[in-house]
Amino acid sequence: MTPKTAKKKAAPKAAPGTARSHKRVYYFGDGKADGRAEMKALLGGKGANLAEMVSLGIPVPAGFTISTEACTEFNAAGGKLSSAVKADVLRSLARIEKSMKRGFGDSSHPLLLSVRSGARASMPGMMDTVLNLGLNDKSVEGLASQADPRFAYDSYRRFISMYGDVVLGVHMESFKNRLEALKDERAIDLDTELTAEDWKELVREYLEVVREHTGKPFPQDPHDQLWGAIAAVFRSWENDRAKTYRKLNNIPSWWGTAVNVQAMVFGNKGDDCATGVAFTRNPATGERVFYGEYLKNAQGEDVVAGIRTPQPINKANRGSDQAHLPTLEEEMPAAFRDLVRIYKKLEQHYRDMQDIEFTIEHGKLWMLQTRTGKRTVRAAVKIAVDMAKERLITKEEAIERIDPKALDQLLHPTFDPKAKRDVLARGLSASPGAATGNVVLHADEAEARAKAGEKVILVRAETSPEDIHGMNAAQGILTGRGGLTSHAAVVARGMGKCCVAGCGALRIDPEKGEIQFEGQVVKVGEPISLDGTTGEVMRGRVPTVTPELGGEFAELMKWADVVRKLRVRTNADTPHDAEIARQFGAEGIGLCRTEHMFFEPNRILAVREMILASDTAERQKALDKLLPMQRSDFVGIFQAMDGLPVTIRLLDPPLHEFLPQEDEGIREVAKALGTDMAHVRAKIDSLREFNPMLGHRGCRLGITFPEIYRMQVRAISEAARQVAEKGVKVHPEIMIPLVAHVEELKRLRAAAEEEIEKVFSKHKGTKVRPTIGTMIELPRAALCADHIAAYADFFSFGTNDLTQMTYGLSRDDAGRFLDVYIETGILDHDPFVSIDEEGIGALIQMGVERGRKTRPHLKVGICGEHGGDPKSVKFCARIGLDYVSCSPYRVPVARLAAAQAAVEAKAASRRARAPRS
Ligand code: ADP
Ligand code: MG
Ligand code: MG
């Protein structure tokens, strides 16, 4: 609060226990503002940044922001604005009138207003804006005689339709239909070709549309208009579009929206006027090039609505359909220079890429919005790394700016460069990625088909907020109109979806159920492929490959590796997975599941023989067949992980998982074992368990069938010896699963050591003896970790089972009720996705502490799915684990999350050291 307003309006005392201010209306204009950029929770993003721009001396039309608190109060009061807020609004309105030297409701020099919503987080296209408020039948004539009639009637018809749509609930379509009909009648394509008389006629029709739909005349009193618009914006927080968007983006409904009321400036007053939008850097690639589009003689959202092809701001980044158009730099050089100066100032000030809106009125530039620009992950990485190099931000800030989860998109496949491309057309590369799917033309259909498991591409002339659910369901989006700032492009980037926009050659024929590209036809339901990086639209399904990760990504990861303390390993069962993970920066294998190898078609029979053997001798025969196979698996993996540790888990799942269900398989085993099918069936039945996850599995198999684990230990040891002799640096770690009691580990360890000794006794020179550790995945093991650690060289927390066992929550059955738990807020997340820190996390911490009490240098890691979840990775870093292990594609995600954890820890210790003020 500025001292001045504080004096003017002695705020009543706050209710006991509340520290909230009673200020609800924040003025900005003429270089001074009540608000600041940090006040987004209260003023919304738009309002806070308008205030900040004013304070920076940037030209912004005067206005005021009604706070989000007022929105909450408004909706709580059943849609009523308090008289205190109303009085403040009127006071601020008087200040705008003074600043703009125009009167609100004046019939010859009317002050016109925009009423704009703005929540804390930007919600593109979600909330509604009303422009040119204050016009009525009388003042439009004043404006027409005093300025230009065409401009006056154009502004009025825009106002009637926006107000009609947002406030009075008249469908925008009804207005649009009239406009289209008039254009048809006049046989013209563009709005700009309509004359003042045409607009005047349209105004009459629009007023009639309103009367027809509402049964009342269009409100003529500017103050009524204003209260109506403010109420509508507050109400719009609860509309379906806003709700859907909130749900998709995890925005809580209690935030509310602010309302910004601001003097209008006009981009539709002639050819020295324009309106535009820009990004201070390319939002798709991150390149440091100013990118933007504008339309001459236009207002508001004309640029993004695809009404005309917008012109490029400068030559860089010009789209294919814009090649012949002049630029703002050429047409309005002075305004362009101002724009460049301002965008640079904004980027320096906010230290991030900005998404800006501006309007030029008779050559003078006005800024209407700035916000941190949405960008693709690829762009986010490039911008963060570039800005760190420009010294605008630190390397640590660069690390913190990237959402580790979003890296996933970068790691995902792109089109195989060697594949043949049947290119139908080319559009703008609005959001990168490789998408393949069947053509659909409507959002509802996209959603329905996607639900049925089909992969679809949503094809539209342009998209609007009504299409969000369809875009969300589609693999990719193709539009015929619009640039990098169009609705489709902005939303697709936000969703991390591939999008090709402004594909000029695209014709959509809903009647025939097809799309055409200069004579080439694709029917609805047929596949196309979109390359969001090149903008190519291709026929059919183009095959994909794993991406190469060089450039800024590699650089960022290097910085992350310097900062982080937590190691990142991978879960890999094959040499191929191991290689991919290594390319992604894995520092070892944290979990190699031996049973996955058992499922190979040429092995499963031997495995079944082993399980169904009627005595030890028969079992040993089957194991002898398996030994060389296992050994060769490990040789491959050890070679791939040369120099890095490899943790191999001995057989874990219940045996029945390997057994045949079909006659075919049963016959085969019976033959191999020299017995009959009935005998095999009986054996299978005898192995059936009521509760296999708590049954005969894990180390319990090693206890009852010691020869199985012995075979596996031997295979590991022999493989290690064999590769070591060839010069491979091998660090095998044998991991015993599902240990609950120290006696289990004690005995199995002794057996394993015996087997290792047999392999290495004749090879005294080789120093590659496997270490032996255990998984901690049963609550009892965590509780008794001090005893267990006596026999374990390392612990690996199997957080999937540990969660399942501690929560008493079956992973395979939880789907039925877990969703309800999350929807109703009993749980705020799925404990199988992010570690439940309070419960399972406490158990892990206890296990680590007790384990290290016995063995201070005990190596500890985790190897559940959680190892690739950023939140869980940070938790593991905080409690001092040595490593996490995750699937190969998640390795970079975990590396970045681990680095962020280190940066956060540093910041926390700085805070702790700083003297309290
Ligand atoms: P959104 O949140 O959808 O971007 P805005 O409130 O920013 O909605 O406004 C919609 C359009 O109206 C934008 O193009 C904006 O630049 C334009 N606009 C808003 N206020 C004014 C104003 N005071 N003068 C001129 N144009 C305006
Ligand atoms: Mg809008
Ligand atoms: Mg805007």
PDB file of all heavy atoms in Angstrom, residues 150 154 157-158 179-180 183 188-195 198-199 202 206 297 302 307-308:
ATOM      1  N   ARG A 150     -15.713   4.358 -39.004  1.00  0.00           N
ATOM      2  CA  ARG A 150     -15.461   2.934 -39.188  1.00  0.00           C
ATOM      3  C   ARG A 150     -14.945   2.325 -37.885  1.00  0.00           C
ATOM      4  O   ARG A 150     -15.390   1.275 -37.426  1.00  0.00           O
ATOM      5  CB  ARG A 150     -14.408   2.757 -40.286  1.00  0.00           C
ATOM      6  CG  ARG A 150     -14.300   1.349 -40.736  1.00  0.00           C
ATOM      7  CD  ARG A 150     -13.288   1.161 -41.829  1.00  0.00           C
ATOM      8  NE  ARG A 150     -13.307  -0.243 -42.170  1.00  0.00           N
ATOM      9  CZ  ARG A 150     -12.810  -1.193 -41.386  1.00  0.00           C
ATOM     10  NH1 ARG A 150     -12.228  -0.871 -40.256  1.00  0.00           N
ATOM     11  NH2 ARG A 150     -12.911  -2.451 -41.738  1.00  0.00           N
ATOM     12  N   ASP A 154     -16.950  -0.364 -35.555  1.00  0.00           N
ATOM     13  CA  ASP A 154     -16.215  -1.626 -35.384  1.00  0.00           C
ATOM     14  C   ASP A 154     -16.027  -1.899 -33.886  1.00  0.00           C
ATOM     15  O   ASP A 154     -16.250  -3.015 -33.406  1.00  0.00           O
ATOM     16  CB  ASP A 154     -14.852  -1.527 -36.086  1.00  0.00           C
ATOM     17  CG  ASP A 154     -13.968  -2.762 -35.835  1.00  0.00           C
ATOM     18  OD1 ASP A 154     -14.524  -3.875 -35.760  1.00  0.00           O
ATOM     19  OD2 ASP A 154     -12.741  -2.603 -35.712  1.00  0.00           O
ATOM     20  N   ARG A 157     -19.443  -2.857 -32.253  1.00  0.00           N
ATOM     21  CA  ARG A 157     -19.939  -4.217 -32.519  1.00  0.00           C
ATOM     22  C   ARG A 157     -19.084  -5.255 -31.797  1.00  0.00           C
ATOM     23  O   ARG A 157     -19.578  -6.275 -31.335  1.00  0.00           O
ATOM     24  CB  ARG A 157     -20.010  -4.503 -34.032  1.00  0.00           C
ATOM     25  CG  ARG A 157     -18.705  -4.542 -34.810  1.00  0.00           C
ATOM     26  CD  ARG A 157     -18.130  -5.923 -34.949  1.00  0.00           C
ATOM     27  NE  ARG A 157     -16.718  -5.796 -35.358  1.00  0.00           N
ATOM     28  CZ  ARG A 157     -15.913  -6.829 -35.480  1.00  0.00           C
ATOM     29  NH1 ARG A 157     -16.341  -8.037 -35.262  1.00  0.00           N
ATOM     30  NH2 ARG A 157     -14.663  -6.652 -35.834  1.00  0.00           N
ATOM     31  N   ARG A 158     -17.785  -4.992 -31.654  1.00  0.00           N
ATOM     32  CA  ARG A 158     -16.941  -5.907 -30.883  1.00  0.00           C
ATOM     33  C   ARG A 158     -17.421  -5.944 -29.440  1.00  0.00           C
ATOM     34  O   ARG A 158     -17.528  -7.007 -28.827  1.00  0.00           O
ATOM     35  CB  ARG A 158     -15.485  -5.434 -30.887  1.00  0.00           C
ATOM     36  CG  ARG A 158     -14.751  -5.650 -32.189  1.00  0.00           C
ATOM     37  CD  ARG A 158     -13.367  -5.014 -32.082  1.00  0.00           C
ATOM     38  NE  ARG A 158     -12.666  -4.987 -33.361  1.00  0.00           N
ATOM     39  CZ  ARG A 158     -11.863  -5.971 -33.784  1.00  0.00           C
ATOM     40  NH1 ARG A 158     -11.673  -7.042 -33.036  1.00  0.00           N
ATOM     41  NH2 ARG A 158     -11.260  -5.879 -34.946  1.00  0.00           N
ATOM     42  N   LEU A 179     -21.959 -11.800 -38.951  1.00  0.00           N
ATOM     43  CA  LEU A 179     -20.797 -11.211 -39.613  1.00  0.00           C
ATOM     44  C   LEU A 179     -20.483 -11.964 -40.903  1.00  0.00           C
ATOM     45  O   LEU A 179     -20.270 -11.364 -41.962  1.00  0.00           O
ATOM     46  CB  LEU A 179     -19.594 -11.243 -38.661  1.00  0.00           C
ATOM     47  CG  LEU A 179     -18.242 -10.771 -39.210  1.00  0.00           C
ATOM     48  CD1 LEU A 179     -18.310  -9.332 -39.708  1.00  0.00           C
ATOM     49  CD2 LEU A 179     -17.148 -10.886 -38.147  1.00  0.00           C
ATOM     50  N   GLU A 180     -20.499 -13.305 -40.809  1.00  0.00           N
ATOM     51  CA  GLU A 180     -20.207 -14.112 -41.994  1.00  0.00           C
ATOM     52  C   GLU A 180     -21.251 -13.865 -43.081  1.00  0.00           C
ATOM     53  O   GLU A 180     -20.927 -13.743 -44.264  1.00  0.00           O
ATOM     54  CB  GLU A 180     -20.140 -15.604 -41.642  1.00  0.00           C
ATOM     55  CG  GLU A 180     -18.935 -16.008 -40.811  1.00  0.00           C
ATOM     56  CD  GLU A 180     -17.601 -15.514 -41.376  1.00  0.00           C
ATOM     57  OE1 GLU A 180     -17.377 -15.656 -42.596  1.00  0.00           O
ATOM     58  OE2 GLU A 180     -16.783 -14.955 -40.597  1.00  0.00           O
ATOM     59  N   LYS A 183     -20.563 -10.667 -44.786  1.00  0.00           N
ATOM     60  CA  LYS A 183     -19.398 -10.773 -45.669  1.00  0.00           C
ATOM     61  C   LYS A 183     -19.769 -11.508 -46.959  1.00  0.00           C
ATOM     62  O   LYS A 183     -19.331 -11.141 -48.051  1.00  0.00           O
ATOM     63  CB  LYS A 183     -18.232 -11.447 -44.952  1.00  0.00           C
ATOM     64  CG  LYS A 183     -17.560 -10.456 -44.035  1.00  0.00           C
ATOM     65  CD  LYS A 183     -16.307 -10.840 -43.279  1.00  0.00           C
ATOM     66  CE  LYS A 183     -15.763 -12.187 -43.247  1.00  0.00           C
ATOM     67  NZ  LYS A 183     -14.772 -12.406 -42.185  1.00  0.00           N
ATOM     68  N   ILE A 188     -17.005 -10.521 -49.828  1.00  0.00           N
ATOM     69  CA  ILE A 188     -15.632 -10.199 -49.425  1.00  0.00           C
ATOM     70  C   ILE A 188     -15.133 -11.230 -48.426  1.00  0.00           C
ATOM     71  O   ILE A 188     -15.909 -11.937 -47.781  1.00  0.00           O
ATOM     72  CB  ILE A 188     -15.525  -8.787 -48.789  1.00  0.00           C
ATOM     73  CG1 ILE A 188     -16.493  -8.674 -47.607  1.00  0.00           C
ATOM     74  CG2 ILE A 188     -15.769  -7.705 -49.816  1.00  0.00           C
ATOM     75  CD1 ILE A 188     -16.304  -7.411 -46.835  1.00  0.00           C
ATOM     76  N   ASP A 189     -13.804 -11.323 -48.294  1.00  0.00           N
ATOM     77  CA  ASP A 189     -13.178 -12.317 -47.417  1.00  0.00           C
ATOM     78  C   ASP A 189     -12.791 -11.746 -46.064  1.00  0.00           C
ATOM     79  O   ASP A 189     -12.882 -12.410 -45.047  1.00  0.00           O
ATOM     80  CB  ASP A 189     -11.894 -12.847 -48.075  1.00  0.00           C
ATOM     81  CG  ASP A 189     -12.210 -13.906 -49.115  1.00  0.00           C
ATOM     82  OD1 ASP A 189     -13.320 -14.480 -49.036  1.00  0.00           O
ATOM     83  OD2 ASP A 189     -11.361 -14.134 -49.996  1.00  0.00           O
ATOM     84  N   LEU A 190     -12.295 -10.521 -46.079  1.00  0.00           N
ATOM     85  CA  LEU A 190     -11.653  -9.982 -44.885  1.00  0.00           C
ATOM     86  C   LEU A 190     -12.512  -8.941 -44.187  1.00  0.00           C
ATOM     87  O   LEU A 190     -13.181  -8.129 -44.833  1.00  0.00           O
ATOM     88  CB  LEU A 190     -10.309  -9.343 -45.252  1.00  0.00           C
ATOM     89  CG  LEU A 190      -9.256 -10.294 -45.814  1.00  0.00           C
ATOM     90  CD1 LEU A 190      -8.003  -9.533 -46.195  1.00  0.00           C
ATOM     91  CD2 LEU A 190      -8.927 -11.389 -44.809  1.00  0.00           C
ATOM     92  N   ASP A 191     -12.441  -8.970 -42.843  1.00  0.00           N
ATOM     93  CA  ASP A 191     -13.166  -7.982 -42.048  1.00  0.00           C
ATOM     94  C   ASP A 191     -12.783  -6.557 -42.434  1.00  0.00           C
ATOM     95  O   ASP A 191     -13.598  -5.643 -42.383  1.00  0.00           O
ATOM     96  CB  ASP A 191     -12.830  -8.155 -40.554  1.00  0.00           C
ATOM     97  CG  ASP A 191     -13.347  -9.481 -40.036  1.00  0.00           C
ATOM     98  OD1 ASP A 191     -13.838 -10.289 -40.855  1.00  0.00           O
ATOM     99  OD2 ASP A 191     -13.255  -9.697 -38.822  1.00  0.00           O
ATOM    100  N   THR A 192     -11.508  -6.392 -42.776  1.00  0.00           N
ATOM    101  CA  THR A 192     -11.008  -5.035 -43.064  1.00  0.00           C
ATOM    102  C   THR A 192     -11.668  -4.415 -44.287  1.00  0.00           C
ATOM    103  O   THR A 192     -11.623  -3.211 -44.475  1.00  0.00           O
ATOM    104  CB  THR A 192      -9.494  -5.063 -43.319  1.00  0.00           C
ATOM    105  OG1 THR A 192      -9.192  -6.249 -44.034  1.00  0.00           O
ATOM    106  CG2 THR A 192      -8.720  -5.024 -42.028  1.00  0.00           C
ATOM    107  N   GLU A 193     -12.270  -5.253 -45.125  1.00  0.00           N
ATOM    108  CA  GLU A 193     -12.899  -4.701 -46.325  1.00  0.00           C
ATOM    109  C   GLU A 193     -14.295  -4.145 -46.055  1.00  0.00           C
ATOM    110  O   GLU A 193     -14.878  -3.495 -46.916  1.00  0.00           O
ATOM    111  CB  GLU A 193     -12.955  -5.778 -47.420  1.00  0.00           C
ATOM    112  CG  GLU A 193     -11.579  -6.209 -47.902  1.00  0.00           C
ATOM    113  CD  GLU A 193     -11.653  -7.419 -48.837  1.00  0.00           C
ATOM    114  OE1 GLU A 193     -12.152  -7.252 -49.959  1.00  0.00           O
ATOM    115  OE2 GLU A 193     -11.245  -8.511 -48.421  1.00  0.00           O
ATOM    116  N   LEU A 194     -14.808  -4.404 -44.861  1.00  0.00           N
ATOM    117  CA  LEU A 194     -16.130  -3.861 -44.528  1.00  0.00           C
ATOM    118  C   LEU A 194     -16.029  -2.359 -44.252  1.00  0.00           C
ATOM    119  O   LEU A 194     -15.054  -1.888 -43.670  1.00  0.00           O
ATOM    120  CB  LEU A 194     -16.707  -4.581 -43.302  1.00  0.00           C
ATOM    121  CG  LEU A 194     -17.115  -6.057 -43.532  1.00  0.00           C
ATOM    122  CD1 LEU A 194     -17.434  -6.725 -42.213  1.00  0.00           C
ATOM    123  CD2 LEU A 194     -18.316  -6.155 -44.475  1.00  0.00           C
ATOM    124  N   THR A 195     -17.070  -1.630 -44.650  1.00  0.00           N
ATOM    125  CA  THR A 195     -17.055  -0.169 -44.496  1.00  0.00           C
ATOM    126  C   THR A 195     -17.721   0.231 -43.189  1.00  0.00           C
ATOM    127  O   THR A 195     -18.323  -0.592 -42.498  1.00  0.00           O
ATOM    128  CB  THR A 195     -17.847   0.485 -45.640  1.00  0.00           C
ATOM    129  OG1 THR A 195     -19.215   0.052 -45.524  1.00  0.00           O
ATOM    130  CG2 THR A 195     -17.299   0.081 -47.000  1.00  0.00           C
ATOM    131  N   ASP A 198     -21.233  -0.736 -43.182  1.00  0.00           N
ATOM    132  CA  ASP A 198     -21.411  -2.168 -42.924  1.00  0.00           C
ATOM    133  C   ASP A 198     -21.401  -2.440 -41.424  1.00  0.00           C
ATOM    134  O   ASP A 198     -22.249  -3.154 -40.891  1.00  0.00           O
ATOM    135  CB  ASP A 198     -20.284  -2.982 -43.575  1.00  0.00           C
ATOM    136  CG  ASP A 198     -20.367  -2.965 -45.090  1.00  0.00           C
ATOM    137  OD1 ASP A 198     -21.485  -2.807 -45.614  1.00  0.00           O
ATOM    138  OD2 ASP A 198     -19.317  -3.101 -45.741  1.00  0.00           O
ATOM    139  N   TRP A 199     -20.413  -1.860 -40.753  1.00  0.00           N
ATOM    140  CA  TRP A 199     -20.299  -2.079 -39.311  1.00  0.00           C
ATOM    141  C   TRP A 199     -21.529  -1.528 -38.591  1.00  0.00           C
ATOM    142  O   TRP A 199     -22.016  -2.108 -37.631  1.00  0.00           O
ATOM    143  CB  TRP A 199     -19.033  -1.440 -38.738  1.00  0.00           C
ATOM    144  CG  TRP A 199     -17.741  -2.122 -39.106  1.00  0.00           C
ATOM    145  CD1 TRP A 199     -16.631  -1.519 -39.613  1.00  0.00           C
ATOM    146  CD2 TRP A 199     -17.412  -3.510 -38.967  1.00  0.00           C
ATOM    147  NE1 TRP A 199     -15.624  -2.439 -39.807  1.00  0.00           N
ATOM    148  CE2 TRP A 199     -16.079  -3.674 -39.422  1.00  0.00           C
ATOM    149  CE3 TRP A 199     -18.113  -4.627 -38.515  1.00  0.00           C
ATOM    150  CZ2 TRP A 199     -15.436  -4.917 -39.428  1.00  0.00           C
ATOM    151  CZ3 TRP A 199     -17.475  -5.857 -38.519  1.00  0.00           C
ATOM    152  CH2 TRP A 199     -16.155  -5.997 -38.979  1.00  0.00           C
ATOM    153  N   LEU A 202     -24.194  -3.866 -38.890  1.00  0.00           N
ATOM    154  CA  LEU A 202     -23.935  -5.006 -38.028  1.00  0.00           C
ATOM    155  C   LEU A 202     -24.255  -4.681 -36.565  1.00  0.00           C
ATOM    156  O   LEU A 202     -24.780  -5.516 -35.827  1.00  0.00           O
ATOM    157  CB  LEU A 202     -22.472  -5.428 -38.168  1.00  0.00           C
ATOM    158  CG  LEU A 202     -22.204  -6.923 -38.018  1.00  0.00           C
ATOM    159  CD1 LEU A 202     -22.989  -7.751 -39.004  1.00  0.00           C
ATOM    160  CD2 LEU A 202     -20.714  -7.187 -38.195  1.00  0.00           C
ATOM    161  N   TYR A 206     -26.544  -6.817 -34.235  1.00  0.00           N
ATOM    162  CA  TYR A 206     -26.038  -7.368 -32.971  1.00  0.00           C
ATOM    163  C   TYR A 206     -26.958  -6.987 -31.807  1.00  0.00           C
ATOM    164  O   TYR A 206     -27.251  -7.795 -30.933  1.00  0.00           O
ATOM    165  CB  TYR A 206     -24.619  -6.857 -32.690  1.00  0.00           C
ATOM    166  CG  TYR A 206     -23.509  -7.619 -33.394  1.00  0.00           C
ATOM    167  CD1 TYR A 206     -23.768  -8.445 -34.489  1.00  0.00           C
ATOM    168  CD2 TYR A 206     -22.188  -7.512 -32.954  1.00  0.00           C
ATOM    169  CE1 TYR A 206     -22.741  -9.117 -35.120  1.00  0.00           C
ATOM    170  CE2 TYR A 206     -21.158  -8.186 -33.586  1.00  0.00           C
ATOM    171  CZ  TYR A 206     -21.434  -8.987 -34.668  1.00  0.00           C
ATOM    172  OH  TYR A 206     -20.413  -9.660 -35.289  1.00  0.00           O
ATOM    173  N   ASN A 297      -4.436  -2.439 -38.059  1.00  0.00           N
ATOM    174  CA  ASN A 297      -5.840  -2.077 -37.974  1.00  0.00           C
ATOM    175  C   ASN A 297      -6.677  -3.217 -37.377  1.00  0.00           C
ATOM    176  O   ASN A 297      -7.636  -3.685 -38.004  1.00  0.00           O
ATOM    177  CB  ASN A 297      -6.349  -1.698 -39.381  1.00  0.00           C
ATOM    178  CG  ASN A 297      -7.574  -0.793 -39.284  1.00  0.00           C
ATOM    179  OD1 ASN A 297      -7.979  -0.405 -38.178  1.00  0.00           O
ATOM    180  ND2 ASN A 297      -8.172  -0.469 -40.410  1.00  0.00           N
ATOM    181  N   ASP A 302      -7.493 -10.571 -32.356  1.00  0.00           N
ATOM    182  CA  ASP A 302      -7.519 -10.830 -33.796  1.00  0.00           C
ATOM    183  C   ASP A 302      -6.283 -11.605 -34.245  1.00  0.00           C
ATOM    184  O   ASP A 302      -6.347 -12.463 -35.115  1.00  0.00           O
ATOM    185  CB  ASP A 302      -7.575  -9.507 -34.582  1.00  0.00           C
ATOM    186  CG  ASP A 302      -8.928  -8.805 -34.408  1.00  0.00           C
ATOM    187  OD1 ASP A 302      -9.797  -9.367 -33.703  1.00  0.00           O
ATOM    188  OD2 ASP A 302      -9.104  -7.703 -34.966  1.00  0.00           O
ATOM    189  N   ILE A 307      -8.067 -14.641 -37.914  1.00  0.00           N
ATOM    190  CA  ILE A 307      -8.984 -13.899 -38.773  1.00  0.00           C
ATOM    191  C   ILE A 307      -8.319 -13.519 -40.089  1.00  0.00           C
ATOM    192  O   ILE A 307      -8.887 -13.652 -41.168  1.00  0.00           O
ATOM    193  CB  ILE A 307      -9.500 -12.645 -38.027  1.00  0.00           C
ATOM    194  CG1 ILE A 307     -10.490 -13.099 -36.956  1.00  0.00           C
ATOM    195  CG2 ILE A 307     -10.140 -11.643 -38.981  1.00  0.00           C
ATOM    196  CD1 ILE A 307     -10.918 -12.024 -36.003  1.00  0.00           C
ATOM    197  N   ARG A 308      -7.090 -13.047 -39.977  1.00  0.00           N
ATOM    198  CA  ARG A 308      -6.252 -12.834 -41.157  1.00  0.00           C
ATOM    199  C   ARG A 308      -4.908 -13.461 -40.840  1.00  0.00           C
ATOM    200  O   ARG A 308      -4.593 -13.679 -39.685  1.00  0.00           O
ATOM    201  CB  ARG A 308      -6.007 -11.330 -41.381  1.00  0.00           C
ATOM    202  CG  ARG A 308      -7.170 -10.574 -41.957  1.00  0.00           C
ATOM    203  CD  ARG A 308      -6.788  -9.096 -42.068  1.00  0.00           C
ATOM    204  NE  ARG A 308      -7.245  -8.321 -40.927  1.00  0.00           N
ATOM    205  CZ  ARG A 308      -6.639  -7.209 -40.493  1.00  0.00           C
ATOM    206  NH1 ARG A 308      -5.530  -6.769 -41.078  1.00  0.00           N
ATOM    207  NH2 ARG A 308      -7.112  -6.538 -39.472  1.00  0.00           N
TER     208      ARG A 308
END
